[in-house]
Coordinates of all heavy atoms in Angstrom, one line a residue:
M1 N 54.8 4.1 145.5 CA 55.9 3.2 145.7 C 56.9 3.8 146.7 O 57.3 5.0 146.5 CB 56.6 2.8 144.4 CG 57.7 1.8 144.6 SD 58.2 1.3 142.9 CE 59.9 0.8 143.3
K2 N 57.3 3.1 147.7 CA 58.2 3.6 148.7 C 59.7 3.5 148.2 O 60.0 2.5 147.6 CB 58.0 2.8 150.0 CG 58.6 3.5 151.2 CD 58.1 2.7 152.4 CE 58.6 3.5 153.6 NZ 58.2 2.9 154.9
A3 N 60.5 4.5 148.4 CA 61.9 4.5 148.0 C 62.6 3.4 148.7 O 62.4 3.1 149.9 CB 62.5 5.8 148.3
K4 N 63.6 2.8 148.0 CA 64.4 1.7 148.6 C 65.7 2.2 149.0 O 66.5 1.4 149.6 CB 64.6 0.6 147.5 CG 63.3 0.0 147.1 CD 63.5 -1.2 146.2 CE 62.1 -1.7 145.7 NZ 61.8 -3.0 146.0
E5 N 66.0 3.4 148.8 CA 67.3 4.0 149.2 C 67.0 5.4 149.8 O 66.1 6.1 149.3 CB 68.3 4.1 148.1 CG 68.8 2.8 147.5 CD 69.8 3.0 146.4 OE1 70.1 4.1 146.1 OE2 70.3 2.0 145.9
A6 N 67.9 5.9 150.7 CA 67.8 7.2 151.2 C 69.3 7.7 151.3 O 70.1 7.0 151.8 CB 67.1 7.3 152.5
N7 N 69.5 8.9 150.8 CA 70.8 9.5 151.0 C 70.9 10.1 152.4 O 70.4 11.2 152.7 CB 71.0 10.6 149.9 CG 72.3 11.3 150.1 OD1 73.2 10.9 150.8 ND2 72.5 12.5 149.4
L8 N 71.5 9.4 153.3 CA 71.5 9.8 154.7 C 72.5 10.9 154.9 O 72.3 11.9 155.5 CB 72.0 8.6 155.6 CG 71.1 7.4 155.6 CD1 71.6 6.3 156.4 CD2 69.7 7.8 156.0
L9 N 73.7 10.8 154.3 CA 74.7 11.8 154.4 C 75.7 11.6 153.2 O 76.0 10.5 152.9 CB 75.5 11.5 155.7 CG 76.4 12.6 156.2 CD1 75.7 13.9 156.4 CD2 77.0 12.1 157.6
S10 N 76.0 12.7 152.6 CA 76.9 12.6 151.4 C 77.9 13.7 151.4 O 77.6 14.8 151.9 CB 76.1 12.6 150.1 OG 75.4 13.7 149.9
F11 N 79.1 13.4 150.8 CA 80.1 14.4 150.7 C 80.7 14.2 149.3 O 81.1 13.1 148.9 CB 81.2 14.2 151.8 CG 82.4 15.1 151.6 CD1 82.2 16.4 152.1 CD2 83.6 14.7 151.1 CE1 83.3 17.3 152.0 CE2 84.6 15.6 151.0 CZ 84.5 16.9 151.4
K12 N 80.8 15.3 148.6 CA 81.3 15.3 147.2 C 82.3 16.3 147.0 O 82.3 17.4 147.6 CB 80.2 15.6 146.2 CG 79.1 14.6 146.1 CD 78.0 15.0 145.1 CE 76.9 14.1 145.0 NZ 75.9 14.6 144.0
I13 N 83.3 16.0 146.2 CA 84.3 17.0 145.6 C 84.0 17.0 144.2 O 84.0 16.0 143.5 CB 85.7 16.6 145.9 CG1 85.9 16.4 147.4 CG2 86.7 17.6 145.3 CD1 87.3 15.8 147.8
I14 N 83.6 18.2 143.7 CA 83.1 18.4 142.3 C 84.0 19.3 141.5 O 84.5 20.3 142.1 CB 81.7 19.0 142.4 CG1 80.8 18.1 143.3 CG2 81.1 19.3 141.1 CD1 79.5 18.8 143.8
V15 N 84.1 19.0 140.3 CA 84.7 20.0 139.3 C 83.6 20.4 138.4 O 82.9 19.6 137.8 CB 85.8 19.3 138.5 CG1 86.3 20.3 137.4 CG2 86.9 18.8 139.3
N16 N 83.3 21.7 138.4 CA 82.1 22.2 137.6 C 82.6 22.5 136.2 O 83.7 22.3 135.8 CB 81.5 23.4 138.3 CG 82.3 24.7 138.2 OD1 83.3 24.8 137.5 ND2 81.9 25.7 139.0
H17 N 81.6 23.0 135.4 CA 81.8 23.2 133.9 C 83.0 24.2 133.6 O 83.6 24.1 132.6 CB 80.5 23.6 133.2 CG 80.0 24.9 133.7 ND1 79.4 25.1 134.9 CD2 80.1 26.1 133.2 CE1 79.0 26.3 135.1 NE2 79.5 27.0 134.0
S18 N 83.2 25.1 134.5 CA 84.3 26.1 134.3 C 85.6 25.6 134.9 O 86.6 26.4 134.9 CB 83.9 27.4 134.8 OG 83.7 27.4 136.2
G19 N 85.7 24.4 135.5 CA 86.9 23.9 136.1 C 87.1 24.3 137.5 O 88.1 23.9 138.1
A20 N 86.1 24.9 138.2 CA 86.2 25.2 139.6 C 86.0 24.0 140.4 O 85.2 23.1 140.1 CB 85.2 26.3 140.0
I21 N 86.8 23.8 141.5 CA 86.6 22.7 142.4 C 85.8 23.1 143.6 O 86.1 24.1 144.2 CB 88.0 22.1 142.8 CG1 88.7 21.6 141.6 CG2 87.8 21.0 143.8 CD1 90.2 21.2 141.9
L22 N 84.7 22.4 143.9 CA 83.8 22.7 145.0 C 83.6 21.5 145.8 O 83.8 20.4 145.4 CB 82.5 23.1 144.4 CG 82.5 24.2 143.3 CD1 81.1 24.2 142.6 CD2 82.8 25.5 143.9
T23 N 83.2 21.7 147.1 CA 82.8 20.6 147.9 C 81.3 20.7 148.2 O 80.8 21.9 148.3 CB 83.6 20.5 149.2 OG1 83.3 21.6 150.0 CG2 85.1 20.3 148.9
E24 N 80.6 19.6 148.4 CA 79.2 19.6 148.7 C 78.9 18.6 149.9 O 79.4 17.5 149.8 CB 78.4 19.3 147.5 CG 76.9 19.2 147.7 CD 76.2 18.8 146.4 OE1 76.2 19.7 145.5 OE2 75.8 17.7 146.3
L25 N 78.2 19.1 150.9 CA 77.8 18.2 152.0 C 76.3 18.2 152.0 O 75.6 19.3 152.0 CB 78.3 18.8 153.3 CG 78.1 18.0 154.5 CD1 78.7 16.6 154.5 CD2 78.7 18.7 155.7
G26 N 75.7 17.0 151.9 CA 74.3 17.0 151.9 C 73.7 15.7 152.5 O 74.5 14.9 153.2
G27 N 72.5 15.5 152.4 CA 71.8 14.3 152.9 C 70.4 14.6 153.4 O 69.9 15.7 153.3
L28 N 69.8 13.6 154.0 CA 68.5 13.7 154.6 C 68.5 14.6 155.9 O 69.3 14.2 156.8 CB 67.9 12.3 154.8 CG 66.5 12.2 155.3 CD1 65.5 12.7 154.2 CD2 66.2 10.8 155.6
P29 N 67.8 15.6 156.0 CA 67.8 16.4 157.2 C 67.4 15.6 158.4 O 66.5 14.7 158.3 CB 66.7 17.5 156.9 CG 66.6 17.6 155.5 CD 66.8 16.2 155.0
E30 N 68.1 15.8 159.5 CA 67.8 15.0 160.7 C 66.4 15.1 161.2 O 65.8 14.1 161.7 CB 68.8 15.4 161.8 CG 68.8 14.4 162.9 CD 69.9 14.6 163.9 OE1 70.8 15.3 163.6 OE2 69.7 14.0 165.0
D31 N 65.7 16.2 161.0 CA 64.3 16.4 161.4 C 63.3 15.6 160.5 O 62.1 15.6 160.8 CB 64.0 17.8 161.6 CG 64.0 18.6 160.3 OD1 64.5 18.1 159.3 OD2 63.6 19.8 160.3
R32 N 63.8 15.0 159.5 CA 62.9 14.2 158.6 C 63.2 12.7 158.6 O 62.6 11.9 157.9 CB 63.1 14.7 157.1 CG 62.5 16.2 157.0 CD 62.4 16.6 155.6 NE 61.6 15.7 154.8 CZ 61.8 15.5 153.5 NH1 62.8 16.1 152.9 NH2 61.1 14.6 152.8
L33 N 64.2 12.3 159.4 CA 64.6 10.9 159.5 C 63.4 10.0 159.9 O 63.2 8.9 159.4 CB 65.7 10.7 160.5 CG 67.1 11.2 160.1 CD1 68.1 11.1 161.2 CD2 67.6 10.6 158.8
H34 N 62.5 10.6 160.8 CA 61.4 9.8 161.3 C 60.4 9.5 160.2 O 59.6 8.6 160.3 CB 60.7 10.5 162.4 CG 60.0 11.8 162.0 ND1 60.7 13.0 161.8 CD2 58.7 12.0 161.7 CE1 59.8 13.9 161.3 NE2 58.6 13.3 161.3
E35 N 60.5 10.2 159.1 CA 59.6 9.9 157.9 C 60.0 8.7 157.2 O 59.2 8.1 156.4 CB 59.6 11.1 157.0 CG 59.0 12.4 157.6 CD 59.2 13.6 156.7 OE1 59.4 13.4 155.5 OE2 59.0 14.7 157.2
V36 N 61.3 8.3 157.3 CA 61.8 7.2 156.6 C 62.1 6.0 157.5 O 61.9 4.8 157.0 CB 63.1 7.6 155.9 CG1 63.7 6.5 155.1 CG2 62.9 8.8 155.0
F37 N 62.5 6.3 158.7 CA 62.9 5.2 159.6 C 62.1 5.2 160.9 O 61.6 6.2 161.3 CB 64.4 5.3 160.0 CG 65.3 5.4 158.8 CD1 65.8 6.5 158.2 CD2 65.7 4.2 158.2 CE1 66.6 6.6 157.1 CE2 66.5 4.2 157.1 CZ 67.0 5.4 156.6
K38 N 62.0 4.0 161.5 CA 61.2 3.8 162.7 C 62.0 3.0 163.7 O 62.9 2.3 163.4 CB 59.9 3.1 162.4 CG 59.0 3.7 161.3 CD 58.4 5.0 161.8 CE 57.5 5.6 160.7 NZ 57.6 7.0 160.6
D39 N 61.6 3.2 165.0 CA 62.1 2.4 166.1 C 63.6 2.3 166.1 O 64.3 3.3 166.1 CB 61.5 1.0 166.1 CG 59.9 1.1 166.1 OD1 59.4 1.9 166.8 OD2 59.3 0.3 165.3
N40 N 64.2 1.0 166.3 CA 65.6 0.8 166.4 C 66.4 1.3 165.2 O 67.5 1.8 165.4 CB 65.9 -0.6 166.7 CG 65.5 -1.0 168.1 OD1 65.4 -0.2 169.0 ND2 65.4 -2.3 168.3
E41 N 65.8 1.2 164.1 CA 66.5 1.6 162.8 C 66.7 3.1 162.9 O 67.7 3.6 162.5 CB 65.6 1.2 161.6 CG 66.3 1.3 160.3 CD 65.4 0.7 159.2 OE1 64.3 1.3 159.0 OE2 65.8 -0.2 158.6
L42 N 65.7 3.9 163.4 CA 65.8 5.3 163.5 C 66.9 5.7 164.5 O 67.7 6.6 164.2 CB 64.4 5.9 163.9 CG 64.4 7.4 164.2 CD1 64.8 8.2 162.9 CD2 63.0 7.8 164.7
V43 N 66.9 5.0 165.6 CA 68.0 5.3 166.6 C 69.4 5.0 166.0 O 70.3 5.9 166.2 CB 67.8 4.4 167.8 CG1 68.9 4.5 168.8 CG2 66.4 4.7 168.5
L44 N 69.5 4.0 165.3 CA 70.8 3.6 164.7 C 71.2 4.7 163.6 O 72.3 5.2 163.6 CB 70.8 2.2 164.0 CG 72.0 1.8 163.3 CD1 73.2 1.8 164.2 CD2 71.8 0.5 162.6
V45 N 70.3 5.0 162.8 CA 70.6 6.0 161.7 C 70.9 7.4 162.3 O 71.9 8.0 161.9 CB 69.4 6.1 160.7 CG1 69.6 7.3 159.8 CG2 69.3 4.8 159.9
R46 N 70.2 7.8 163.3 CA 70.5 9.1 164.0 C 71.9 9.0 164.6 O 72.7 10.0 164.5 CB 69.5 9.3 165.1 CG 68.3 10.0 164.6 CD 67.6 10.7 165.8 NE 66.4 11.5 165.2 CZ 65.2 11.3 165.5 NH1 64.8 10.3 166.4 NH2 64.2 12.0 165.0
K47 N 72.3 7.9 165.2 CA 73.6 7.8 165.8 C 74.7 7.9 164.7 O 75.7 8.6 164.9 CB 73.7 6.5 166.5 CG 75.1 6.2 167.1 CD 75.1 5.8 168.5 CE 76.5 5.5 169.0 NZ 77.3 6.6 169.4
I48 N 74.5 7.2 163.6 CA 75.5 7.2 162.5 C 75.7 8.6 162.0 O 76.8 9.1 161.8 CB 75.0 6.2 161.4 CG1 75.1 4.8 161.8 CG2 75.8 6.5 160.1 CD1 74.5 3.8 160.9
I49 N 74.6 9.3 161.8 CA 74.6 10.7 161.3 C 75.3 11.6 162.3 O 76.1 12.4 161.9 CB 73.2 11.2 160.8 CG1 72.8 10.4 159.6 CG2 73.3 12.7 160.6 CD1 71.4 10.7 159.1
R50 N 74.9 11.5 163.5 CA 75.5 12.4 164.6 C 77.0 12.1 164.7 O 77.7 13.1 165.1 CB 74.7 12.2 165.9 CG 73.4 12.8 165.9 CD 72.6 12.7 167.1 NE 71.3 13.3 167.0 CZ 70.3 13.1 167.8 NH1 70.4 12.2 168.8 NH2 69.2 13.7 167.7
E51 N 77.4 10.9 164.5 CA 78.9 10.6 164.6 C 79.6 11.1 163.3 O 80.7 11.6 163.4 CB 79.1 9.1 164.8 CG 78.6 8.6 166.1 CD 79.4 9.1 167.3 OE1 80.6 9.3 167.2 OE2 78.8 9.4 168.4
A52 N 79.0 10.8 162.2 CA 79.7 11.1 160.9 C 79.7 12.6 160.4 O 80.7 13.1 159.9 CB 79.2 10.2 159.8
K53 N 78.5 13.2 160.7 CA 78.3 14.5 160.1 C 79.4 15.6 160.6 O 79.9 16.3 159.8 CB 76.9 15.0 160.4 CG 76.6 16.3 159.7 CD 75.1 16.7 159.8 CE 74.8 17.9 159.0 NZ 73.4 18.3 159.2
P54 N 79.7 15.6 161.9 CA 80.7 16.6 162.3 C 82.1 16.3 161.6 O 82.8 17.3 161.3 CB 80.8 16.4 163.8 CG 79.5 15.8 164.2 CD 79.1 14.9 163.0
K55 N 82.4 15.1 161.4 CA 83.7 14.8 160.7 C 83.7 15.2 159.3 O 84.7 15.8 158.8 CB 84.0 13.3 160.8 CG 84.3 12.8 162.3 CD 84.4 11.3 162.4 CE 84.8 10.8 163.7 NZ 83.8 11.0 164.8
L56 N 82.6 15.0 158.6 CA 82.5 15.5 157.2 C 82.4 17.0 157.1 O 83.0 17.6 156.2 CB 81.3 14.8 156.5 CG 81.4 13.3 156.3 CD1 80.1 12.8 155.7 CD2 82.5 13.0 155.4
E57 N 81.7 17.6 158.1 CA 81.7 19.1 158.1 C 83.1 19.7 158.3 O 83.4 20.7 157.7 CB 80.8 19.6 159.2 CG 79.3 19.4 158.9 CD 78.4 19.7 160.1 OE1 78.9 19.6 161.3 OE2 77.2 20.0 159.9
K58 N 83.9 19.0 159.1 CA 85.2 19.5 159.3 C 86.1 19.4 158.0 O 86.8 20.3 157.7 CB 85.9 18.6 160.5 CG 87.2 19.2 161.0 CD 87.6 18.4 162.2 CE 88.8 18.9 162.9 NZ 89.2 18.2 164.0
M59 N 85.9 18.2 157.3 CA 86.6 18.0 156.1 C 86.1 19.1 155.0 O 86.9 19.7 154.3 CB 86.4 16.6 155.6 CG 87.0 16.4 154.2 SD 88.8 16.5 154.1 CE 89.2 15.0 154.9
H60 N 84.8 19.3 155.0 CA 84.2 20.2 154.1 C 84.8 21.6 154.3 O 85.2 22.3 153.4 CB 82.7 20.2 154.2 CG 82.0 21.2 153.5 ND1 81.8 21.2 152.1 CD2 81.3 22.4 153.9 CE1 81.1 22.2 151.8 NE2 80.8 23.0 152.8
D61 N 84.8 22.1 155.5 CA 85.3 23.4 155.9 C 86.8 23.5 155.6 O 87.2 24.5 155.0 CB 85.1 23.7 157.4 CG 83.6 23.9 157.7 OD1 82.8 24.1 156.8 OD2 83.3 23.8 158.9
F62 N 87.6 22.5 155.9 CA 89.0 22.5 155.6 C 89.2 22.7 154.1 O 90.0 23.5 153.7 CB 89.6 21.2 156.1 CG 91.1 21.0 155.6 CD1 92.1 21.7 156.2 CD2 91.3 20.2 154.6 CE1 93.4 21.6 155.8 CE2 92.6 20.0 154.1 CZ 93.7 20.7 154.7
L63 N 88.6 21.8 153.3 CA 88.8 21.9 151.8 C 88.3 23.2 151.2 O 88.9 23.8 150.4 CB 88.1 20.7 151.1 CG 88.8 19.4 151.4 CD1 87.9 18.3 150.8 CD2 90.2 19.4 150.8
E64 N 87.2 23.8 151.7 CA 86.7 25.0 151.2 C 87.7 26.1 151.5 O 88.0 27.0 150.7 CB 85.3 25.4 151.9 CG 84.2 24.6 151.4 CD 83.8 24.9 149.9 OE1 83.6 26.1 149.7 OE2 83.7 24.0 149.1
K65 N 88.3 26.1 152.7 CA 89.3 27.1 153.1 C 90.6 27.0 152.2 O 91.2 27.9 151.7 CB 89.7 27.0 154.5 CG 88.6 27.6 155.4 CD 88.9 27.4 156.9 CE 87.7 27.8 157.8 NZ 87.9 27.3 159.1
E66 N 91.0 25.7 152.0 CA 92.2 25.5 151.2 C 91.9 25.9 149.7 O 92.8 26.5 149.1 CB 92.5 24.0 151.2 CG 93.1 23.5 152.5 CD 94.5 24.1 152.8 OE1 95.4 24.1 151.9 OE2 94.6 24.6 154.0
L67 N 90.8 25.6 149.2 CA 90.5 26.0 147.8 C 90.4 27.5 147.7 O 90.8 28.1 146.7 CB 89.1 25.4 147.4 CG 89.2 23.9 147.2 CD1 87.8 23.3 147.0 CD2 90.1 23.5 146.0
A68 N 89.8 28.2 148.7 CA 89.7 29.7 148.7 C 91.1 30.3 148.7 O 91.4 31.2 148.0 CB 88.9 30.2 149.9
A69 N 92.0 29.7 149.6 CA 93.4 30.2 149.7 C 94.1 30.0 148.4 O 94.8 30.9 147.9 CB 94.1 29.6 150.8
F70 N 93.9 28.8 147.8 CA 94.5 28.5 146.5 C 94.1 29.5 145.4 O 94.8 30.0 144.6 CB 94.3 27.1 146.1 CG 94.9 26.7 144.8 CD1 96.2 26.4 144.6 CD2 94.0 26.7 143.6 CE1 96.8 26.1 143.4 CE2 94.6 26.3 142.4 CZ 95.9 26.1 142.3
N71 N 92.7 29.7 145.3 CA 92.2 30.6 144.3 C 92.6 32.0 144.5 O 92.7 32.8 143.6 CB 90.6 30.4 144.3 CG 90.2 29.1 143.7 OD1 90.9 28.5 142.9 ND2 89.1 28.6 144.2
A72 N 92.8 32.4 145.8 CA 93.2 33.8 146.0 C 94.7 34.1 145.6 O 95.0 35.2 145.3 CB 93.1 34.1 147.5
T73 N 95.5 33.0 145.5 CA 96.9 33.2 145.1 C 97.1 33.0 143.6 O 98.2 33.2 143.1 CB 97.8 32.2 145.8 OG1 97.4 30.9 145.5 CG2 97.7 32.5 147.3
T74 N 96.0 32.5 142.9 CA 96.2 32.3 141.4 C 95.5 33.3 140.6 O 94.7 34.1 141.0 CB 95.7 30.9 141.0 OG1 94.3 30.8 141.4 CG2 96.5 29.8 141.6

């Protein structure tokens, strides 16, 4: 059975079991998109990921640095 959904790109802010706050950036690797999408759909999905991923990476890096600085002072 073929999957009906694919996690193209995801960003999470997580609180783990010990109370630590973490960020997570994930999704389908760009080199595997062709396994799920074809033709115009593949072009569109690649464009969405190429536009969104750098913005999410920037947010991920910012929050990781802020959390590290906060944890260093506590």
Side-chain angles (χ1 to χ4, degrees):
M1 185 171 152
K2 198 170 188 179
K4 296 186 188 238
E5 293 182 358
N7 178 14
L8 301 177
L9 195 57
S10 61
F11 178 76
K12 294 180 186 179
I13 301 173
I14 303 163
V15 176
N16 71 13
H17 65 281
S18 62
I21 299 173
L22 311 163
T23 64
E24 179 181 286
L25 183 60
L28 187 62
E30 193 169 343
D31 63 351
R32 294 191 53 215
L33 291 175
H34 70 279
E35 296 173 16
V36 181
F37 302 99
K38 305 289 180 223
D39 304 320
N40 287 339
E41 196 174 58
L42 177 59
V43 172
L44 176 61
V45 169
R46 273 200 176 120
K47 173 129 178 84
I48 290 168
I49 290 173
R50 286 181 180 161
E51 293 292 324
K53 190 172 182 180
K55 291 173 175 69
L56 291 176
E57 286 172 336
K58 193 173 184 178
M59 176 63 75
H60 172 74
D61 292 342
F62 170 77
L63 288 174
E64 287 289 309
K65 287 175 187 167
E66 289 293 312
L67 289 169
F70 178 78
N71 289 331
T73 62
T74 58

